[in-house]
Amino acid sequence: MEYRNIVLLKEGKVAVLTISRPKALNALNSETLKELDLAIDEIAKDDEIYAVILTGEGKAFVAGADITEMKDLDVMSGRKFGILGNKVFRKLETLEKPIIAAVNGFALGGGCELSMACDIRIASSKAKFGQPEVGLGITPGFGGTQRLTRLVGLGMAKELIYTAKIIGAEEALRIGLVNKVFEPENLLAEAKVLANTIAAQAPIAVSFCKAAINKGIQIDIDTALSYESELFGECFSTEDQKNGMIAFVQKTEKCFMNK
């Protein structure tokens, strides 16, 4: 389908999803969030897509939620806007296919929250991260209080959120918010290398790993291990497991079928 605020392209087994509102620094308004919701559904239904790259057009990843829309909200409409953002980001987070955020510039507020809903974050050396909402008289509304804490720890999350501090890519790397930092001109190419490396693995096994990790951090270890065992067993019903192990034993090329 056609989108006004995003661009969705396929390159082999990898989808590249770009937030495209460069004049607004890719700020997230309601229309963009709804288009992102539709794009996630489109990606989920496409069995030929094994991995996703999410990035922004121009000098920003996403500079935040759109303040020009938010400034006139009241309590009820503000809550609805927050619910919309959280619903879309949670759908992104629980998408069975792995998602790499290629953070090319500003990732502030809703942009930082969007990156944290992805599985892996890599950043341009010029990227900036932060949850500066308290400086605008609001809290993070799209999951920032929850995901930042899970990624960088309680104390660091509270410091960043309470102070509205904006940090650079190297500091984000140091605290564990991003996995790697690259020069701007190399970022997308490196994201594609990573995405294609993931896409070359057994897709069902990768999706099961994502499910086990995401669910496991929210439950006790014994329940998590039981869930892992269930998924491990389910792998043996797939063609990917048969093909992968036969190829390993016979030293032939692997051929994964996503079945």
Side-chain angles (χ1 to χ4, degrees):
M1 66 172 292
E2 292 186 7
Y3 300 101
R4 286 165 47 90
N5 302 290
I6 64 174
V7 177
L8 177 59
L9 299 174
K10 282 175 59 176
E11 298 183 11
K13 295 179 180 179
V14 175
V16 180
L17 178 58
T18 304
I19 310 298
S20 181
R21 298 186 71 213
K23 291 182 179 178
L25 297 178
N26 302 323
L28 298 171
N29 58 10
S30 295
E31 183 181 43
T32 305
L33 286 169
K34 290 173 183 176
E35 287 191 8
L36 184 58
D37 189 44
L38 293 172
I40 297 166
D41 288 339
E42 187 175 344
I43 291 167
K45 294 173 183 175
D46 192 332
D47 291 338
E48 295 180 351
I49 295 174
Y50 287 13
V52 183
I53 297 169
L54 177 60
T55 193
E57 182 179 344
K59 64 181 180 181
F61 175 71
V62 167
D66 196 329
I67 296 173
T68 59
E69 179 178 353
M70 288 195 296
K71 65 182 177 60
D72 297 320
L73 300 179
D74 59 17
V75 172
M76 290 304 297
S77 56
R79 187 173 294 141
K80 286 178 65 176
F81 188 56
I83 289 170
L84 172 62
N86 266 315
K87 184 195 83 165
V88 175
F89 286 14
R90 184 61 176 155
K91 181 184 282 189
L92 186 75
E93 186 173 43
T94 56
L95 181 69
E96 291 184 351
K97 302 166 187 187
I99 308 163
I100 300 162
V103 183
N104 51 301
F106 296 113
L108 307 176
C112 188
E113 290 168 312
L114 179 61
S115 76
M116 292 190 293
C118 298
D119 295 286
I120 298 169
R121 285 152 296 285
I122 63 173
S124 156
S125 58
K126 294 184 178 179
K128 302 289 184 183
F129 295 83
Q131 299 289 160
E133 286 90 346
V134 295
L136 299 170
I138 59 174
T139 69
F142 297 166
T145 60
Q146 304 307 307
R147 294 190 180 94
L148 188 61
T149 303
R150 286 165 167 78
L151 284 168
V152 305
L154 188 65
M156 182 59 70
K158 286 183 175 181
E159 179 182 340
L160 290 173
I161 292 171
Y162 294 176
T163 63
K165 184 179 180 181
I166 295 172
I167 61 173
E170 291 298 334
E171 178 66 3
L173 178 65
R174 186 188 70 80
I175 65 175
L177 185 55
V178 303
N179 292 55
K180 294 179 181 178
V181 175
F182 299 100
E183 290 306 307
E185 62 271 20
N186 298 329
L187 178 66
L188 191 56
E190 293 289 350
K192 290 178 180 179
V193 169
L194 179 56
N196 280 293
T197 301
I198 294 170
Q201 313 310 316
I204 294 175
V206 171
S207 70
F208 282 0
C209 288
K210 176 172 180 173
I213 293 167
N214 285 356
K215 184 173 181 178
I217 62 170
Q218 300 178 60
I219 56 180
D220 67 273
I221 184 67
D222 292 317
T223 304
L225 289 171
S226 177
Y227 182 56
E228 181 187 89
S229 295
E230 288 179 22
L231 294 177
F232 177 71
E234 284 296 315
C235 290
F236 290 86
S237 69
T238 68
E239 292 297 319
D240 281 351
Q241 175 269 327
K242 296 175 178 61
N243 292 336
M245 292 191 175
I246 289 171
F248 179 85
V249 172
Q250 297 181 352
K251 296 181 171 56
T252 57
E253 188 175 350
K254 291 178 287 188
C255 180
F256 294 128
M257 304 297 292
N258 197 18
K259 294 180 181 179

